[in-house]
């Protein structure tokens, strides 16, 4: 139409798209150029190996769980080390790269990377970081070798798969049920429901309907068990059974992305988390409404489990989260510390300071511990222990409880209050991660700083705030 013709006459630009498929990723090369340079579209550009390595590295970080902020900082580090001018736009499941002359505004080349089947994999992040360090800092690996090694990492099987994933669902269900202060009947049923949800998660044909189907199956088993076998807290065991699928972490990360001004990534992750939460709630609510015509649907409180079992349940949660996030066994100890810290805050601190202030304090503590770990121990990543600890504090269960009040109990005011608290806690956890990183920045901002170099950073920060005091 007329607008397209006008734009072409104004800018005299053409778009050349050459789609090529690589192992595990689709990469589209888009070259913007004046009409007199159209003949040179098929010619290779300079620094092509650097561009390819940068693209596959950032696409890998995006695919295996790093936030848009961290992917952007990794790209900026590569650009600073190589001396190229790189423009990057990162969003969930897609990354745009622009390479250009620093003196020009428009990028002559734009590359689009679309990783398939994204999911957090700490083991592969460790391997990719070793490759990136070998190329960028240690200069022991060439760009071509680094690209080939990352492609091999893409194709390698996960560290834990199959039955390991089912075990993860069962152990996560166990630790979440313990935090709900349920009884032995509820605990055993939660593990059974976790096993059922884990089996369904391996059924790839369910696709996007997994949350709905899992919620319905878990809700059905909980209601039948409550009425035919032994009385349990239907809501608590249902939430525990689908604990691995609750998107509380995604919702918190979405607010964190928005706080870091990553608007597209944050907004899309928030929408995705809400849709997942609605799908889970819909499945459980449909089961409750359907079986409510035949049986009683209620929240029955059994005698809580002994608090002395706290270490055992935290150990179970550690193994469950470590398997789910593909954490190698030698890093399980930091998972145990963050999970235990978050669990202790949830059980013994939050009841005294309130449900709004407790997660804020817990998030700050977990972030500081994780950032300290990233400074002292290889692979110098803080994101994994932060995720493990924050999962214990996320408000996914609050959101489902609010929807439960809406649909089952007809408590509109109570449902609105619970949903508002869930959104507020998500915002607080995002703020807590930012505050914790201000108190003690993670290692990725200062590569290989040494064991205790954070002391110098801390002193500099204090000196800026209290210069006269330190001078005296």
């Amino acid at each position: 139409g007329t607008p397209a013709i006008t734009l072409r006459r104004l800018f005299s630009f053409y778009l050349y798209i050459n789609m090529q498929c690589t192992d595990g990723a689709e990469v589209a090369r888009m070259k913007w150029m004046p009409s007199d340079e159209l003949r040179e579209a098929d010619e290779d550009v300079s620094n092509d190996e650097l561009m390819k390595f940068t693209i596959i590295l950032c696409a890998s970080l995006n695919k295996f769980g790093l936030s848009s902020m961290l992917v952007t900082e990794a790209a900026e580090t590569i650009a600073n080390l190589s001396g190229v001018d790189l423009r990057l736009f990162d969003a969930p499941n897609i990354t745009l790269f622009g390479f250009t002359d620093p003196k020009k505004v428009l990028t002559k080349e734009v590359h689009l990377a679309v990783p398939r089947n994204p999911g957090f994999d700490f083991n592969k992040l460790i391997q990719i970081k070793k490759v990136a360090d070998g190329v960028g800092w240690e200069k022991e690996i060439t760009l071509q070798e680094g690209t080939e090694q990352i492609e091999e990492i893409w194709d390698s099987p996960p560290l834990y798969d199959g039955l390991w994933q089912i075990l993860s669902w069962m152990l996560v269900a166990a630790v979440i049920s313990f935090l709900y202060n349920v009884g032995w009947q509820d605990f055993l049923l939660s593990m059974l429901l976790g096993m059922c949800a884990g089996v369904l998660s391996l059924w790839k044909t369910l696709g996007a309907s997994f949350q709905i189907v899992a919620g319905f199956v878990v809700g059905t088993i909980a209601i039948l068990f409550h009425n035919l076998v032994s009385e349990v807290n239907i809501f608590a065991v249902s939430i525990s059974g689908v604990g691995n699928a609750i998107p509380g972490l995604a919702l918190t990360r979405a607010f964190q992305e928005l706080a870091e001004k990553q608007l597209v990534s944050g907004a899309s992750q928030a929408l995705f988390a809400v849709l997942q939460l609605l799908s889970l709630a819909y499945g459980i609510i449909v089961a409750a409404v359907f079986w409510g015509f035949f049986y009683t649907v209620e929240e029955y409180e059994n005698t809580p489990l002994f608090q002395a079992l706290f270490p055992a349940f935290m150990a179970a949660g550690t193994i469950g989260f470590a398997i789910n996030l593909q954490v190698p066994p030698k890093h399980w100890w930091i998972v145990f510390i963050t999970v235990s810290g978050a669990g202790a805050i949830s059980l013994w601190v939050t009841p005294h300071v309130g449900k709004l202030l407790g997660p804020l304090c817990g998030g700050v503590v977990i972030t500081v511990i994780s950032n300290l770990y990233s400074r002292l121990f290889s692979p110098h990543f803080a994101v994994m222990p932060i995720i493990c600890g924050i999962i214990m504090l996320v408000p996914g269960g609050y959101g489902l409880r609010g929807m439960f009040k809406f649909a089952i109990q007809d408590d509109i005011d109570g449902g609105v209050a619970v949903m508002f608290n869930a959104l507020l806690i998500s915002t607080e956890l995002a703020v807590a991660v930012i505050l914790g990183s201000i108190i003690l920045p993670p290692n990725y901002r200062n590569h290989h700083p040494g064991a205790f170099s954070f002391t110098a950073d801390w002193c500099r920060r204090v000196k800026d705030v209290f210069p006269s005091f330190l001078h005296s």
Side-chain angles (χ1 to χ4, degrees):
T2 303
I5 295 174
T6 303
L7 286 174
R8 190 173 70 175
R9 289 176 178 174
L10 284 175
F11 299 103
S12 186
F13 274 80
Y14 291 84
L15 176 62
Y16 171 81
I17 303 180
N18 175 27
M19 292 297 297
Q20 58 181 5
C21 186
T22 61
D23 295 336
E26 293 177 355
V27 179
R29 172 180 296 179
M30 296 181 288
K31 294 184 178 181
W32 295 88
M33 61 199 67
S35 56
D36 57 352
E37 297 182 13
L38 185 60
R39 298 177 183 176
E40 302 176 1
D42 291 326
E43 295 182 1
D44 293 335
V45 297
S46 59
N47 297 325
D48 189 63
E49 291 185 358
L50 174 62
M51 295 180 186
K52 186 176 181 181
F53 175 77
T54 304
I55 291 172
I56 193 171
L57 173 62
C58 293
S60 302
L61 297 178
N62 185 307
K63 173 182 173 63
F64 296 125
L66 288 193
S67 64
S68 297
M69 177 187 65
L70 298 183
V71 174
T72 302
E73 293 198 5
E76 291 176 351
T77 301
I78 296 174
N80 294 332
L81 290 175
S82 59
V84 300
D85 188 61
L86 172 63
R87 317 283 175 84
L88 182 139
F89 173 79
D90 185 71
N93 306 339
I94 185 172
T95 308
L96 287 170
F97 303 85
F99 299 89
T100 185
D101 188 331
K103 298 180 180 179
K104 295 182 179 180
V105 177
L106 297 177
T107 57
K108 187 176 180 179
E109 289 204 15
V110 178
H111 298 259
L112 173 66
V114 185
R116 299 172 181 172
N117 303 322
F120 193 91
D121 193 322
F122 187 67
N123 183 50
K124 291 189 177 182
L125 283 177
I126 294 174
Q127 299 177 44
I128 292 171
K129 184 178 183 298
K130 290 180 179 178
V131 175
D133 289 344
V135 173
W137 296 96
E138 300 170 1
K139 307 294 184 181
E140 297 178 350
I141 305 175
T142 64
L143 290 171
Q144 183 177 357
E145 292 174 344
T147 302
E148 294 173 353
Q149 291 183 22
I150 293 180
E151 289 176 348
E152 293 176 358
I153 293 173
W154 276 58
D155 296 333
S156 62
L159 186 62
Y160 311 107
D161 201 3
L163 295 178
W164 284 105
Q165 291 299 320
I166 298 177
L167 177 63
S168 170
W169 281 80
M170 296 175 64
L171 296 178
V172 170
V175 70
I176 293 179
S177 66
F178 180 76
L179 295 179
Y180 274 118
N181 291 318
V182 299
W184 280 105
Q185 305 95 317
D186 308 78
F187 158 67
L188 295 176
L189 180 59
S190 296
M191 293 195 66
L192 175 63
L193 297 180
M195 183 184 67
C196 295
V199 172
L200 290 174
S201 69
L202 300 179
W203 193 5
K204 302 301 182 182
T205 55
L206 290 178
S209 63
F210 163 72
Q211 283 81 11
I212 298 177
V213 175
F216 180 81
V217 172
V218 164
T220 296
I221 297 176
I223 294 170
L224 295 179
F225 189 93
H226 172 76
N227 288 273
L228 302 179
V229 181
S230 177
E231 293 178 321
V232 294
N233 188 326
I234 295 176
F235 170 78
V237 297
S238 299
I239 299 303
S240 301
V242 294
N244 256 351
I246 294 177
L249 175 63
L251 192 61
T252 300
R253 289 186 64 179
F255 280 95
Q256 184 182 2
E257 296 277 2
L258 292 173
E260 295 286 347
K261 298 183 180 180
Q262 299 284 347
L263 301 181
V264 175
S265 177
S268 58
Q269 288 194 48
L271 178 60
F272 178 71
V274 170
L275 290 177
Q276 279 192 312
L277 196 63
L278 289 173
S279 299
L280 282 173
Y282 181 77
I284 297 175
I285 289 171
V286 168
V289 172
F290 175 78
W291 291 107
F293 292 108
F294 309 99
Y295 298 107
T296 302
V297 179
E298 61 183 354
E299 295 185 60
Y300 182 83
E301 300 296 336
N302 285 307
T303 303
L305 295 168
F306 297 112
Q307 297 295 311
L309 296 174
F310 176 83
F313 277 95
M314 293 305 106
T318 296
I319 299 174
F321 290 130
I323 294 174
N324 185 39
L325 299 177
Q326 302 292 327
V327 181
K330 68 178 181 179
H331 297 282
W332 284 10
W333 64 271
I334 185 62
V335 178
F336 179 77
I337 291 176
T338 55
V339 168
S340 301
I345 291 174
S346 298
L347 288 176
W348 298 306
V349 176
T350 300
H352 298 286
V353 301
K355 293 182 178 180
L356 296 181
L357 188 58
L360 179 64
C361 299
V364 172
V365 172
I366 294 303
T367 303
V368 171
I369 294 175
S370 302
N371 290 347
L372 179 61
Y373 158 79
S374 73
R375 286 176 167 270
L376 301 181
F377 301 97
S378 178
H380 306 288
F381 267 143
V383 60
M384 180 272 296
I386 289 178
I387 290 177
C388 295
I390 292 296
I391 286 177
M392 301 287 288
L393 303 171
V394 293
Y398 283 102
L400 288 178
R401 180 179 289 275
M403 296 176 187
F404 192 83
K405 287 181 176 292
F406 273 127
I408 304 301
Q409 301 177 356
D410 292 328
D411 186 1
I412 298 178
D413 294 336
V416 171
V418 172
M419 291 295 293
F420 178 77
N421 286 339
L423 294 176
L424 188 59
I425 293 174
S426 295
T427 307
E428 285 185 346
L429 288 175
V431 173
V433 174
I434 296 174
L435 289 177
S437 297
I438 292 175
I439 297 173
L440 183 61
N443 182 68
Y444 67 81
R445 300 182 187 277
N446 187 12
H447 187 84
H448 291 315
F452 296 98
S453 64
F454 67 88
T455 307
D457 294 340
W458 177 259
C459 291
R460 283 194 294 269
R461 291 171 179 270
V462 175
K463 184 177 180 180
D464 293 337
V465 179
F466 306 108
S468 60
F469 173 78
L470 290 180
H471 180 72
S472 61

